[in-house]
Amino acid sequence: MLRCVMNVFTRILRRSMAGFDAKCEKGKTPISGVKEYKDITYNEGVGDDGLLDVYVAEETQRGAPVLFDIHGGGLVYGYKELNKRFCYALARHGFVVVSVNYRLVPKTDFIGQLSDITKAMRWTEANIRDYGGGGDYYVCGDSAGALLGLYASAISSCEKLSDAFGVTGGFAPRGFLFISGLYDLRAKNYIKHLCKYALPKGYKKTAWYKYTDVAELLKVYEIPPSFLTSSDGDMLKGQTDAFAALLSALGRSFALDFRKSKRNDEGHEYYHIYPVKNPEWRECRALFDRAEEFLLKTSPNV
């Protein structure tokens, strides 16, 4: 019964998100000065779901830090082009940016998505020097992309987790940029039902089930420095609050950019993932500056 209800809910959610994205993108174009390498295959046999893009600013020096971007969409919606203008902006901040597609639920489940993400990570590690990237990797994710980035990175950094999830890891990132993140697979609101819908049948009997509690995950995974963003207008702000509190309790390095209002003096609304949708805003450019400084100065061995 739950799966039937969630199938209907997913279709409604996709229509709603598509309308929101169309409104956000109307009349907007990426900033200039960035080279774009489109539709590179990292995963054979899955069509568009196995493609990624690479963005490199024209002035970027070889050996630049690499930012691996994972779009959101509640695990059931989205595609890499939605983050195009955002990726252009991050490339202008000196990163070689990789933006990935992955299979969506119900085409696959959460474990299949993690497998896709880590496969794209392995492609990046093997090939990114051809595009000017160096060996310093960072992971960026918005909304559900943060969840996938967190778990894929944990699997890639910890053999115990890789074995538990049955997923081969990719690279171990030096830091995170998470925007309006979803972090808790056991959330108590409607997100809980969406997450359960994304998990395979019998998941409570698996070796990895205990790690769907993010507190249990971070007992095993030494999470790198993390830059988090949210706002009063963010529907998932409670997730960021709880995740920041957990990082603080564990003594992990993080920074939090939280907007204590729903809009600024110019009328800009600080809604869910607003920096991804509005990278041209003055406050978003400043946010990216702070994130870049935090990651490059705080992350170890850079």
Side-chain angles (χ1 to χ4, degrees), residues 78-298:
Y79 45 93
K80 55 186 172 55
E81 285 79 10
L82 292 175
N83 287 21
K84 181 174 181 175
R85 291 184 298 106
F86 176 63
C87 291
Y88 265 65
L90 293 172
R92 290 299 302 270
H93 275 74
F95 293 97
V96 172
V97 181
V98 179
S99 180
V100 300
N101 276 345
Y102 52 89
R103 289 172 294 165
L104 303 173
V105 176
K107 190 178 292 186
T108 189
D109 56 32
F110 181 63
I111 303 304
Q113 291 179 325
L114 293 177
S115 179
D116 289 352
I117 297 300
T118 57
K119 186 172 289 187
M121 286 176 157
R122 294 194 298 276
W123 181 96
T124 299
E125 195 168 28
N127 296 281
I128 202 62
R129 284 170 177 77
D130 294 340
Y131 300 87
D136 295 333
Y137 301 101
Y138 300 87
V139 168
C140 177
D142 60 273
S143 195
L147 180 74
L148 291 169
L150 173 64
Y151 275 81
S153 298
I155 287 168
S156 300
S157 305
C158 178
E159 185 176 355
K160 181 177 181 179
L161 291 172
S162 178
D163 290 343
F165 281 88
V167 174
T168 302
F171 59 73
R174 299 191 185 282
F176 290 132
L177 169 56
F178 286 154
I179 297 172
S180 298
L182 168 65
Y183 306 102
D184 185 5
L185 280 160
R186 302 191 190 185
K188 302 303 182 183
N189 55 18
Y190 75 94
I191 295 295
K192 178 179 181 180
H193 299 295
L194 191 62
C195 290
K196 285 177 67 176
Y197 176 65
L199 296 175
K201 291 182 179 180
Y203 66 90
K204 288 188 176 181
K205 297 180 181 179
T206 64
W208 50 262
Y209 172 63
K210 67 179 291 185
Y211 301 116
T212 59
D213 180 343
V214 69
E216 290 295 324
L217 182 80
L218 295 190
K219 287 179 182 178
V220 178
Y221 175 40
E222 188 70 28
I223 188 172
S226 305
F227 191 95
L228 315 177
T229 75
S230 185
S231 70
D232 275 338
D234 179 9
M235 64 183 181
L236 291 184
K237 66 179 180 179
Q239 291 262 330
T240 296
D241 289 341
F243 190 62
L246 176 60
L247 293 178
S248 180
L250 293 172
R252 307 294 170 83
S253 176
F254 76 97
L256 173 60
D257 184 288
F258 189 90
R259 303 283 166 160
K260 295 182 179 179
S261 61
K262 292 188 177 181
R263 62 181 69 242
N264 71 358
D265 294 338
E266 298 173 348
H268 292 165
E269 186 178 354
Y270 298 134
Y271 48 72
H272 183 61
I273 69 167
Y274 76 91
V276 176
K277 297 301 182 184
N278 305 282
E280 69 279 358
W281 287 359
R282 169 182 46 80
E283 57 265 55
C284 294
R285 295 196 304 270
L287 186 156
F288 300 152
D289 285 339
R290 290 192 295 274
E292 177 190 359
E293 181 179 16
F294 173 82
L295 291 175
L296 298 186
K297 287 188 176 181
T298 309

Side-chain angles (χ1 to χ4, degrees), residues 28-64:
K28 295 182 180 178
T29 57
I31 57 177
S32 60
V34 176
K35 296 179 181 178
E36 179 180 352
Y37 302 89
K38 286 280 296 177
D39 295 335
I40 303 165
T41 299
Y42 75 86
N43 190 6
E44 298 282 354
V46 297
D48 290 349
D49 295 333
L51 302 179
L52 59 79
D53 300 333
V54 178
Y55 300 89
V56 187
E58 293 172 355
E59 68 273 16
T60 299
Q61 301 295 313
R62 295 196 66 81

